[in-house]
Structure formats: structure tokens, C-alpha cells
């Protein structure tokens, strides 16, 4: 699928359905699998190189959060939470090599909660207590350049998806 | 109303309520995998509905709704999807409703938090989530029979991938929404932190904040305990002549699965050592063993528990309890909370043990109580399901 739809993929959530067509086209006898059992491959098949690129950026950002507490003197309780949640988060990235777990609600809730705890443990006390003026919040979240890049990525994905050919039925 | 509200604001109520629910779920499922019991399934539906309604109506504090969502999220999918079919997504509606209520109430804090969040993370979350939604919606549209009919005569006719079921189309919408749930939860949780850290919220303080996080951990632990129990029961189901709920052949169940499940149940014991031992060295060794267990177990656990990310709460709980234990903060609150979680673990373990020893009178009695006449049909339906959706959205 990734080869056939390299830019935008087959469409998020489509893998399971289109796999039947690919089974028919290839004449495969073993049809037990309905998932690639690898989250990264699944993102590539469903969201193409655009999706994989954004996923890499997301991984990089998560990695920064995981590394942030290193070198800081943490409260013992926060250190404990950091060790536990950090280990869990790190292992999740390995676990994703064996399954598409992040599309399951129950797993992603756990994943993001663990990540939040890492974020909390590594947070500078002063960061949490600062006041933020709500005036001009949006520019503080995303700069004009970031917003433009966001829209460009979405546009590439949409155009590529609209122009992609339909599956040839067996 | 005011009196009720004051009662509901007592600190121990959320945790007590959650533990009560956990016990209720466990007892109704005792001795039998309750994902095939109609009564327990509907009990969970009602509970989830109550949580969602409470969040939307604002009767409880949002924290309670959040904890309810945390607890229910790992537990609900298995029984409901098997009970109502793999396309049954009622629990998702409820979880989304609860989160929506929470997010609406906390929108000011969410904006405040977002302004202070790691920019790269926020940007990547937004782009990835929006990309998934757009991609999912386009894919859904391409399968839509209505759009296919509309475009049939025009130049865009080739755009569609004709499919006959609207359930298929909806599955794309919900697949996209699924992916949003986790990041939303992350932002909601962190936003509460910001709101509590110095913006004049009179009824919360740093101590309450610690409670909130502790309660969330306890809720996740309880939910994970139940999920693990279900996973273990499912592992042993074929040995006792029961087909698996999701239609997988029993040959797919591996030794590694049983091993991982056993390890998962042993982790609370290691936690107990970390908390109760009087010796710092033993506590430290126990903590190291917990981390090592995660490193070994999680990559192995890729089949039944789907990568064992459900073990994550155990590690979070281990870290949290260990941190307090190392600091010597083994006060009454910690003991009570830990004892409550341990009690749930014991009840679940007893339930599994009862299941593993069929033939006892208790077992037969409990089975007769919780089994519905249509169970065989449900199981047969589950066994027949294969192909799309058979494991995509099931356990």
C-alpha cells in the first residue's frame, strides 16, 4: 500500500479494509492478518510519507520531554514517577514495532497519561506557577510560520489523497 | 443541592467511588469472563453513562469524570465490543462525551497550559492529529455509497472506492477520533496542573494536586488490573472448551502471553516490598527489579495484551509509590490507597483462580448467575467474526 500510495497513504483507517483487496489481487491464501502489527508501517501505509515525517517530529518532541529532567535535581517523588513513567513511555516506542497499539483507545490513554507524568515530573516548579496573559494566546502557541507549515502539510496530504487512483479490484 | 455538593467534594470520595466500581466490576465478573455476560456489560454501560452525564451536567467536579474516564477506558472496550458486535462503539461516545465536558469546563486552563507547552510537541500533536482526521474523513468519503452515487456521472467518479456499508464509513471517522483522544487527555491533565499552580483557585492546593495525580494512578492501576484479569481469563478459555471472544484460534495464544500476564500480577507484590520493607536496600532492589521487569516483559508482550502497554500503569504506580517509600513517606494515606489497590488485585486473582478451577460448586453457581441464555449465540458470533475489524478494534 505504501508503494501504491506513497505521499498521502491509503487513508487513515483504511488498511484493514483495503487489505482484503490486496489479498485478492495477490491470491494470498493466509488471510489471518488484518493489521501490519507495526504501528510505524501502518502509519506509512495509511498516511504515507507525510504522516511518517510528522510522526518522526512527534517522536522527537516526546524524546525532548523524556530527556528534559536529566541533569536536574528532582524531588524524590518526582524522580520515582519519572523513572516509572519514563520507562513505560520508552518501552512503548519499542512495543509499537510489534503492533498498532496507538490506534486503540485503551492503550493510547495509558500512553499519553504516562507521558503527562513524565512531563509533570520534569517540570520546573517555576514553570508551572507562572501567570500567562490570555491576550494573544494563539500567537503564543503557534507562530505564523508554524501555522503556515501546518496548513501546507495538510494541503499536500489532501491533494495527494484526492488525486490518488482507486484500487483496482481483482 | 449544596449539601450534596459539599459531600461530593470530600477528598476520598473519588477514589472510594472508583474502587467501589472496580470491586463491582470484579465481583460481577467473578468466575466468568464478563465480556460475555449481558448483565455486567450493561452495568458498565450504565456506569459510563453516569460518568459522562456527570461531566456534562457539571454535577461532579471534572476530576471525578476524568478519573472515571481513566478507569473505564482500559476496561470498557472488551465487553462492549464483544457484547454488541465489533462495530459497537457506544463506549467511545461516552468517553468522548465525558472528555468534551471536561475540556469545555477547563478550556481557560487548557489555553493557559498550551501557551506554556513545549512548542514542538504541541505543533507535532496538532499536525499529526489533524492529518489523521483529514485523511480518515477523505478515506471515509471515498467509501461512501452516497458520494459514489453523486459522483458517478462526473469526472470525479474515479475518486470513490465503492463500498456498501455506512458502518465502514463511520469506522474511519471513529478511527480518526480515536487518535485524538490520547492527546486531548494529555492536554486536559496538564491543563489542570497549570490551573492549580497559582491562578487563584481557592479550593485546591498543592496537596490536593498530589491527591489528584495519585488518584489518577490508582484509577489506572485498577483499570489495568481488570484488563489483565480479562486477558488472562481469555488465555485460558480455550483450555476449558470456550471459544475466544474475538474469534482467534487458540493456537495464537503463546506462552509468552501467559508469562507476561503472570509477571504483571507479580508486579504488585514487588510494589508491596517497595512500600512495606523496612530496609532501604531491599526497597531499592525491588524498585530496580520493577524497572527490569518492564524492560524484559513489555517487548515480549505483543500478542494478547497488545504490546503490554497496559503494564505502563504498573510502572507509573511503581515509580510513584517507590518515590514516596524512598523518602520515607509511608503515611496513612499511602497505606490506605495501596491497601485498596491490593485488595482489588487479590479479588481479581481469586476470580482468576476460581476460573482456573472449574467444577467447584461456587464456580457453577456463579456461572449460572451471570451467564445469559444467548451467550452461545454471542460466542458463536464472535467466533465467526474474522477479517476487517476482528482484531482492529477488539482485544
Amino acid at each position: 500500500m505504501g508503494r501504491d500510495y506513497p505521499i498521502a497513504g491509503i487513508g487513515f483507517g483504511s488498511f484493514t479494509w483495503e487489505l482484503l483487496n490486496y489479498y485478492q489481487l495477490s491470491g494470498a491464501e493466509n488471510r489471518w492478518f488484518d493489521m501490519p502489527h507495526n504501528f510505524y508501517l501502518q502509519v506509512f501505509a495509511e498516511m504515507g510519507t507525510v504522516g511518517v515525517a510528522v510522526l518522526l517530529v512527534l517522536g522527537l518532541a516526546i524524546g525532548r520531554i523524556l530527556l528534559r529532567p536529566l541533569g536536574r535535581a528532582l524531588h524524590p517523588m518526582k524522580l520515582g514517577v519519572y523513572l516509572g513513567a519514563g520507562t513505560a513511555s520508552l518501552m512503548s516506542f519499542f512495543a509499537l514495532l510489534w503492533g498498532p497499539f496507538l490506534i486503540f483507545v485503551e492503550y493510547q490513554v495509558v500512553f499519553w497519561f504516562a507521558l503527562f507524568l513524565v512531563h509533570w515530573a520534569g517540570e520546573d516548579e517555576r514553570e508551572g506557577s507562572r501567570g500567562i496573559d490570555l491576550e494573544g494566546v494563539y500567537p503564543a502557541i503557534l507562530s505564523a510560520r508554524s501555522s503556515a507549515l501546518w496548513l501546507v502539510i495538510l494541503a499536500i496530504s489532501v491533494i495527494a489523497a484526492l488525486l490518488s487512483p482507486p484500487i483496482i479490484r481483482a | 443541592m449544596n449539601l450534596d455538593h459539599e459531600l461530593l467534594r470530600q477528598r476520598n470520595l473519588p477514589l472510594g467511588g472508583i474502587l467501589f466500581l472496580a470491586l463491582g466490576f470484579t465481583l460481577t465478573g467473578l468466575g466468568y469472563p464478563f465480556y460475555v455476560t449481558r448483565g455486567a456489560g450493561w452495568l458498565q454501560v450504565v456506569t459510563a453513562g453516569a460518568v459522562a452525564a456527570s461531566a456534562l451536567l457539571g454535577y461532579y467536579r471534572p476530576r471525578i469524570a476524568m478519573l472515571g474516564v481513566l478507569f473505564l477506558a482500559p476496561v470498557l472496550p472488551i465487553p462492549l465490543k464483544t457484547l454488541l458486535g465489533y462495530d459497537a462503539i457506544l463506549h467511545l461516545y461516552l468517553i468522548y462525551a465525558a472528555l468534551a465536558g471536561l475540556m469545555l469546563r477547563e478550556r481557560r486552563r487548557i489555553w493557559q497550559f498550551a501557551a506554556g507547552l513545549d512548542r514542538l510537541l504541541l505543533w507535532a500533536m496538532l499536525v499529526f492529529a489533524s492529518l489523521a482526521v483529514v485523511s480518515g474523513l477523505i478515506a471515509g468519503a471515498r467509501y461512501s455509497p452516497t458520494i459514489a452515487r453523486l459522483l458517478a456521472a462526473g469526472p470525479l467518479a474515479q475518486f470513490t472506492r465503492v463500498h456498501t456499508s455506512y458502518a465502514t464509513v463511520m469506522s474511519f471517522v471513529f478511527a480518526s477520533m480515536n487518535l485524538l483522544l490520547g492527546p486531548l487527555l494529555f492536554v486536559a491533565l496538564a491543563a489542570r496542573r497549570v490551573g492549580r499552580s497559582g491562578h487563584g483557585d481557592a479550593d485546591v492546593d498543592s496537596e490536593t494536586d498530589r491527591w489528584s495525580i495519585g488518584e489518577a494512578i490508582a484509577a489506572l492501576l485498577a483499570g489495568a488490573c481488570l484488563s489483565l484479569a480479562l486477558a488472562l481469563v481469555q488465555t485460558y478459555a480455550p483450555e476449558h472448551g470456550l471459544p475466544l471472544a474475538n474469534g482467534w484460534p487458540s493456537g495464537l495464544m503463546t506462552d509468552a502471553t501467559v508469562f507476561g500476564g503472570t509477571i504483571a500480577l507479580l508486579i504488585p507484590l514487588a510494589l508491596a516490598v517497595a512500600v512495606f520493607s523496612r530496609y532501604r536496600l531491599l526497597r531499592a532492589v525491588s524498585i530496580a527489579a520493577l524497572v527490569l521487569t518492564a524492560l524484559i516483559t513489555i517487548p515480549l508482550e505483543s500478542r494478547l495484551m497488545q504490546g503490554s502497554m497496559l503494564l505502563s500503569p504498573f510502572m507509573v504506580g511503581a515509580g510513584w509509590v517507590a518515590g514516596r517509600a524512598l523518602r520515607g513517606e509511608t503515611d496513612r494515606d499511602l497505606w490506605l490507597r495501596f491497601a485498596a489497590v491490593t485488595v482489588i488485585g487479590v479479588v481479581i486473582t481469586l476470580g482468576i483462580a476460581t476460573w482456573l478451577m472449574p467444577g467447584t460448586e461456587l464456580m457453577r453457581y456463579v456461572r449460572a448467575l451471570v451467564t445469559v441464555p444467548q451467550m452461545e449465540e454471542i460466542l458463536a458470533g464472535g467466533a465467526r467474526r474474522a477479517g476487517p475489524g476482528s482484531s482492529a478494534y477488539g482485544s
Side-chain angles (χ1 to χ4, degrees), chain A residues 40-56:
Chain A
Y40 308 107
L41 281 180
Q42 179 148 356
V43 168
F44 178 57
E46 292 187 345
M47 296 166 73
T49 46
V50 174
V52 171
V54 177
L55 184 66
L56 285 176

Side-chain angles (χ1 to χ4, degrees), chain B residues 33-49:
Chain B
F34 55 58
Y35 52 83
V36 295
T37 61
R38 192 176 295 275
W42 283 109
L43 173 67
Q44 294 185 340
V45 171
V46 171
T47 308

Side-chain angles (χ1 to χ4, degrees), chain B residues 45 282 290 305 387 389:
Chain B
V45 171
L282 203 54
L290 285 170
M305 284 185 287

Side-chain angles (χ1 to χ4, degrees), chain B residues 116-200:
Chain B
L117 189 65
D118 183 290
R119 299 284 174 83
L120 187 62
L121 177 67
L122 182 66
W123 184 85
M125 281 166 62
L126 284 172
V127 175
F128 191 74
S130 57
L131 202 59
V133 170
V134 169
S135 175
L137 290 177
I138 291 177
R142 297 189 76 153
Y143 284 98
S144 165
T146 303
I147 292 181
R149 278 196 297 274
L150 289 174
L151 299 180
L156 284 176
Q158 59 89 31
F159 167 78
T160 59
R161 296 176 187 136
V162 180
H163 218 282
T164 55
S165 167
Y166 277 106
T168 310
V169 179
M170 287 306 292
S171 76
F172 294 105
V173 177
F174 282 98
S176 306
M177 288 175 71
N178 273 357
L179 204 69
L180 287 175
L181 186 66
L184 285 178
L185 179 74
F186 176 88
V187 173
L189 280 165
R192 291 198 61 75
R193 281 272 313 141
V194 172
R196 287 199 168 121
S197 301
H199 289 283

Side-chain angles (χ1 to χ4, degrees), chain A residues 18 101 104 108 113 120 161 164, chain B residues 142-143 178 182 220 306 392:
Chain A
E18 286 304 335
F101 313 113
F104 300 138
Q108 63 164 290
F113 180 70
W120 171 75
S164 64
Chain B
R142 297 189 76 153
Y143 284 98
N178 273 357
L220 269 177
Q306 316 246 8

